[in-house]
Amino acid sequence: MVGKGIMYDSGGISLKPSDAVHATMKQDMSGAGAILAAMSALKALDCKSAVTGYLMCTDNMPSGSATKLGDVLTIRGGTTVEVLNTDAEGRLVMADALVLAAEEKPDAIVDIATLAGACLRALGPRIAGLMGNNDRLMEQVEVSAKETDEPVWQLPMERSYRPELNSDIADIKNMGGPNGGAIHAALFLEEFVAGLPWAHLDIAGPVLVDSDDGWKPKGSSGFGARLLLELALRFQAPTR
């Protein structure tokens, strides 16, 4: 399990607008938080699967040493990434973790992140986006989502959009075109899973609840923790 853990996201040099969104950016660590919460209960529930968690924790702030637009970063394993927007930072820190996870050759990789505002725009504040490269793994995610009342909706991995991530000076860039941002983000992450069964959960919408809603109290919802726990408990290795 790989989780985005941006403890505070100002946008960096690509500074977010000066509005109420800044007050919610302490929740940009919700993916990593969901993994930590799920893993804390695995032993008590006698989970039979071996689970490794990668919590990619940092801040995204402007400073004299901050990542700049046009920088080229080298991800673990050697893939180079041109940075066209420093506010698309989550995929950068998660890329290293996905490579690390793939090196262990697990049966599956599941990542979870508040990755793309486009996913919130598409699915609203109650539903997480689901994408991936293995139908059997995504079916398990969907069953776990239903069992835990943490709804997901599968978005297409439209690989005809992949050329929009091509860079003239690096292997790939961290932003695509103006549309389909959630799909671009998933296509970027897929570059680093070495073809292993992989599912991506974009929880940009349901991590924040405006008012009490069923079992979720107002504020940070903890969305994903129950889903990931259920998935680990019922997990069966998918065919590759």
Side-chain angles (χ1 to χ4, degrees):
M1 297 181 181
V2 173
K4 176 183 174 183
I6 304 298
M7 312 306 285
Y8 181 78
D9 179 16
S10 72
I13 300 299
S14 303
L15 191 66
K16 293 180 184 294
S18 182
D19 58 25
V21 72
H22 277 274
T24 68
M25 282 300 105
K26 60 187 178 182
Q27 291 157 335
D28 214 18
M29 43 62 70
S30 296
I35 291 175
L36 182 61
M39 293 193 70
S40 70
L42 291 175
K43 182 177 180 180
L45 294 176
D46 196 25
C47 180
K48 303 301 183 185
S49 296
V51 182
T52 301
Y54 296 84
L55 313 184
M56 305 309 290
C57 298
T58 186
D59 285 328
N60 186 23
M61 295 284 287
S63 77
S65 60
T67 300
K68 303 177 293 298
L69 279 73
D71 279 355
V72 174
L73 308 181
T74 301
I75 304 299
R76 181 180 178 88
T79 299
T80 54
V81 179
E82 181 185 9
V83 178
L84 294 186
N85 187 327
T86 66
D87 199 20
E89 82 298 333
R91 65 199 68 180
L92 299 175
V93 298
M94 291 177 70
D96 277 324
L98 290 170
V99 174
L100 277 169
E103 287 174 0
E104 297 298 319
K105 294 181 169 52
D107 291 316
I109 299 173
V110 179
D111 78 65
I112 181 169
T114 49
L115 205 59
C119 200
L120 168 61
R121 300 292 180 269
L123 299 177
R126 295 174 179 263
I127 304 171
L130 170 64
M131 285 164 274
N133 64 5
N134 186 284
D135 289 339
R136 291 190 177 182
L137 176 59
M138 289 193 289
E139 286 169 5
Q140 293 185 57
V141 173
E142 288 173 329
V143 170
S144 299
K146 186 174 182 180
E147 288 292 319
T148 56
D149 188 28
E150 294 195 325
V152 301
W153 190 265
Q154 188 173 337
L155 297 174
M157 286 290 291
E158 183 51 63
R159 291 182 175 84
S160 66
Y161 296 167
R162 172 58 182 82
E164 296 182 37
L165 294 173
N166 289 343
S167 167
D168 292 333
I169 61 171
D171 295 317
I172 192 171
K173 57 189 180 184
N174 76 329
M175 289 291 291
N179 302 308
I183 298 173
H184 290 142
L187 289 169
F188 180 92
L189 295 179
E190 187 182 26
E191 295 285 316
F192 302 97
V193 300
L196 294 171
W198 159 76
H200 162 61
L201 285 163
D202 193 324
I203 59 172
V207 294
L208 181 63
V209 180
D210 291 333
S211 60
D212 292 348
D213 180 16
W215 60 268
K216 299 183 287 291
K218 180 179 179 179
S220 297
S221 68
F223 187 100
R226 290 154 50 111
L227 190 163
L228 293 173
L229 182 57
E230 181 71 18
L231 178 63
L233 292 174
R234 66 168 59 241
F235 178 75
Q236 294 184 359
T239 54
R240 298 182 182 178

